[in-house]
């Protein structure tokens, strides 16, 4: 089982990702509307992967990832950004922050689980 923390401020997208990953199987998901909530859950849930939106109120996806990597034992946590905001410089910033991949919104909900695995 791959444990995934998903951070997305849009309720509809958060629900769609949840349904998509549930169908994919082999993925245990915890979803949060904010980076702050997700960071607090890291040590309790013990995720293998953080799935992040970029643009969120209060704390961005990149800052959420940086804060997660500061938690003992999570410096090398895998991360994937799911965002509508993608250009050459932004994509580079995601990868520099430690992301493995960037999935562009709108995404194919049927393929999302496979892409993450």
């Amino acid at each position: 089982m791959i444990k995934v923390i998903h951070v997305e401020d849009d309720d509809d997208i958060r629900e769609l990702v949840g349904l998509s990953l549930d169908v994919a199987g082999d993925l245990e998901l915890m979803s949060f509307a904010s980076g702050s909530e997700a960071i607090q859950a890291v040590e309790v849930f013990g995720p293998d992967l953080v799935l992040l939106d970029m643009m969120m109120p209060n704390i961005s996806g990149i800052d959420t990832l940086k804060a997660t990597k500061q938690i003992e034992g999570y410096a090398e946590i895998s991360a994937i950004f799911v965002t509508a905001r993608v250009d050459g410089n932004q994509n580079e910033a995601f990868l520099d922050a430690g992301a493995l991949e960037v999935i562009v919104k709108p995404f194919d909900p049927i393929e999302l689980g496979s892409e993450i695995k």
Side-chain angles (χ1 to χ4, degrees), residues 1-2 5 7 9 11 40 44 48 62 74 83 94 99 103 105 111:
M1 244 344 187
I2 300 169
I5 282 185
V7 189
D9 61 320
D11 295 339
Q40 292 176 4
V44 175
D48 302 300
I62 286 180
Y74 292 92
T83 183
F94 296 141
I103 297 173
K105 292 178 190 174
E111 296 297 322

Side-chain angles (χ1 to χ4, degrees), residues 71-91:
I71 298 170
E72 186 175 335
Y74 292 92
E76 300 300 321
I77 189 148
S78 298
I80 298 174
F81 282 91
V82 181
T83 183
R85 187 178 191 180
V86 179
D87 63 36
N89 294 333
Q90 190 67 47
N91 208 14

Side-chain angles (χ1 to χ4, degrees), residues 13-35:
I13 295 173
R14 203 169 50 252
E15 184 175 340
L16 180 60
V17 168
L19 292 170
S20 298
L21 298 188
D22 188 44
V23 169
D26 296 330
L27 298 167
E28 184 178 349
L29 181 68
M30 284 190 81
S31 294
F32 299 94
S34 76

Side-chain angles (χ1 to χ4, degrees), residues 8 10 29-30 36 39-41 49 54 63 66 83 89 92 94 103 108:
E8 168 64 60
D10 184 299
L29 181 68
M30 284 190 81
S36 300
I39 293 164
Q40 292 176 4
L49 172 73
M54 176 53 197
D63 289 339
K66 287 178 181 177
T83 183
N89 294 333
E92 189 174 315
F94 296 141
I103 297 173
D108 181 347

